[in-house]
Amino acid sequence: MKKLGLLPRLILGLIAGIILGKIGFVPLLRIMITFNGIFGNFLQFVIPLIIIGFVAPGIGDLGKKAGKLLAITTVLAYGSTIVSGSVAYFTNSIMLKKILPTAAHTIAENSPEAGLLTGYLTVEMPPIMGVMTALLMAFIIGIGIAIVEGNTLKNFMNEIQTIVEKIITNIVIPFLPLYVAGIFANMTYAGEIVKIMSVFAKVFGIIIVLHYVILLVQYTVAGTMGGANPIALIRKMLPAYFTAIGTQSSAATIPVTLRQTKENGVNDGIADFTIPLCATIHLSGSTIALVSCSMAVMMLNGMPITFSGMFGFILMLGVTMVAAPGVPGGAVMAALGLLESMLGFGPELQSLMIALYLTQDSFGTACNVTGDGAIAIMVNKIAGFKLEKKA
């Protein structure tokens, strides 16, 4: 098994999870879910350390370019998110009218989590700080290292980075396939997600196609800038894509995204800086999903849809969802306030949105993290580096 690459192991874990979920042997499933709960909590604990351990040294290593590249990365990531949401709006404005009836559809609003099994025990591992706190600390420390140009703090942060890398290499990546198997086993056993998915299959089909279109656009731009074949670049990112499908978390997928981005030839310092940052601020896939699902719900309930209203919603999503990258399904939770205040969703429609979003959250996250690699290639070129050929 160890001789297999990460991607085959992830696919095997996914298939095994679906088979075990179909068999439905509850004691075994609960053991798997217990492991998932412990491993998931450990990931939540490590995520702030990953951000600080990678972003701060990455910014520090960039020296005086750090402030400029930070601004450039943020603009590229936010711009990609806004463009993705806008493309989703215009596409759904045309397609949803053809495939969905208006104000004439009723869907069971039960939470898709209702049928999920729980583990035998829970081991709480609260993070030492929130994602935003970690990100701000990383910015401050990294820029401070770049400005002061001293070695004490820089060496300290480099050692933290080494420790975090060891945790990722020896703990996180080896157990990811088992974690993916547990997630898919529980989802398959629950059944409710499949029921909701069957009702909104056409909507989800549009979402998936939009994800692939946006990724192709992102990598066409990145490949043009970097002088590389876009399809070859995307192929290298597939392990990150499939990891994200299983983990449903951009932050939890950082180790794999980082490794594959470096495989695409991005400078190590640029990759260490951009990937953890983009995992927090680049949310193109999640935005496509939220815009598409919300428009479908609004159309089914006869609610008015205007570009001005949806564009404001898209602009705010790019900011609000920053708090959600470490939590599976966190994007829709972070967006609930916007759904109520900007789109007029009451509690029942908010519950429906949660149900619809969670059924495809994996694919939105996969689009997010795969797109992070394209942003890194663009930043790599702007910083003056060429893509390095890997042996």
Side-chain angles (χ1 to χ4, degrees):
M1 177 67 76
K2 289 184 179 180
K3 293 182 179 180
L4 289 176
L6 179 60
L7 179 57
R9 284 184 285 139
L10 289 171
I11 293 175
L12 286 175
L14 187 153
I15 295 172
I18 293 175
I19 293 173
L20 291 172
K22 286 288 187 182
I23 294 173
F25 184 57
V26 174
L28 175 59
L29 292 179
R30 291 194 67 188
I31 290 173
M32 294 175 69
I33 295 160
T34 300
F35 165 79
N36 271 30
I38 295 172
F39 187 74
N41 286 343
F42 177 73
L43 283 177
Q44 297 306 308
F45 175 80
V46 171
I47 284 167
L49 301 179
I50 291 176
I51 292 173
I52 293 175
F54 283 137
V55 175
I59 294 175
D61 288 340
L62 293 174
K64 295 180 180 179
K65 291 183 179 179
K68 179 182 177 181
L69 289 181
L70 173 59
I72 290 172
T73 305
T74 302
V75 169
L76 287 174
Y78 188 66
S80 175
T81 299
I82 301 310
V83 168
S84 300
S86 300
V87 169
Y89 168 81
F90 288 113
T91 302
N92 284 290
S93 295
I94 298 171
M95 297 302 299
L96 290 182
K97 292 178 181 178
K98 298 180 179 180
I99 66 174
L100 292 179
T102 57
H105 204 77
T106 302
I107 299 176
E109 296 179 355
N110 295 330
S111 168
E113 297 181 350
L116 294 176
L117 294 172
T118 58
Y120 286 111
L121 58 89
T122 300
V123 179
E124 296 294 337
M125 303 180 196
I128 58 175
M129 66 185 73
V131 169
M132 281 304 300
T133 302
L135 199 56
L136 289 172
M137 282 191 64
F139 288 163
I140 293 171
I141 295 172
I143 293 173
I145 292 173
I147 294 174
V148 174
E149 298 182 350
N151 291 324
T152 303
L153 184 57
K154 184 177 181 179
N155 292 337
F156 174 72
M157 293 308 302
N158 285 338
E159 289 186 9
I160 289 182
Q161 183 178 31
T162 301
I163 293 171
V164 172
E165 286 176 346
K166 293 293 183 182
I167 293 173
I168 290 169
T169 303
N170 298 322
I171 300 177
V172 176
I173 288 181
F175 285 106
L176 271 177
L178 185 58
Y179 184 57
V180 169
I183 289 174
F184 274 85
N186 205 6
M187 289 175 63
T188 304
Y189 178 83
E192 184 64 25
I193 292 177
V194 177
K195 296 176 184 177
I196 297 173
M197 191 72 171
S198 66
V199 175
F200 265 65
K202 293 179 180 179
V203 179
F204 293 151
I206 293 174
I207 292 172
I208 300 302
V209 170
L210 283 173
H211 285 167
Y212 295 153
V213 169
I214 288 298
L215 286 175
L216 186 58
V217 171
Q218 290 171 342
Y219 276 92
T220 297
V221 174
T224 301
M225 292 178 65
N229 185 328
I231 303 302
L233 295 174
I234 292 174
R235 191 181 299 120
K236 281 281 180 68
M237 295 301 296
L238 288 180
Y241 184 90
F242 283 98
T243 299
I245 286 178
T247 63
Q248 297 179 279
S249 168
S250 295
T253 312
I254 286 174
V256 183
T257 312
L258 186 62
R259 188 181 71 179
Q260 298 310 121
T261 299
K262 292 179 180 179
E263 285 290 318
N264 265 335
V266 175
N267 174 271
D268 286 358
I270 295 294
D272 289 343
F273 161 63
T274 56
I275 293 303
L277 175 59
C278 285
T280 303
I281 64 175
H282 183 225
L283 299 152
S284 54
S286 297
T287 302
I288 288 172
L290 282 168
V291 170
S292 300
C293 288
S294 61
M295 288 181 69
V297 170
M298 293 171 75
M299 190 171 291
L300 289 173
N301 285 275
M303 300 168 69
I305 302 174
T306 63
F307 177 68
S308 60
M310 289 302 300
F311 189 64
F313 176 65
I314 292 167
L315 291 176
M316 288 303 299
L317 276 179
V319 177
T320 305
M321 289 191 299
V322 166
V327 184
V332 68
M333 300 301 176
L336 290 178
L338 298 180
L339 289 169
E340 179 181 3
S341 62
M342 301 188 74
L343 300 185
F345 280 35
E348 292 182 354
L349 294 185
Q350 289 178 30
S351 298
L352 179 56
M353 274 294 296
I354 293 172
L356 295 175
Y357 184 86
L358 286 177
T359 58
Q360 62 74 59
D361 182 39
S362 297
F363 296 96
T365 302
C367 180
N368 292 341
V369 303
T370 307
D372 293 348
I375 300 293
I377 293 171
M378 297 177 201
V379 175
N380 190 72
K381 175 62 177 179
I382 294 171
F385 295 103
K386 294 182 179 180
L387 294 180
E388 304 166 0
K389 291 184 179 180
K390 302 292 182 179

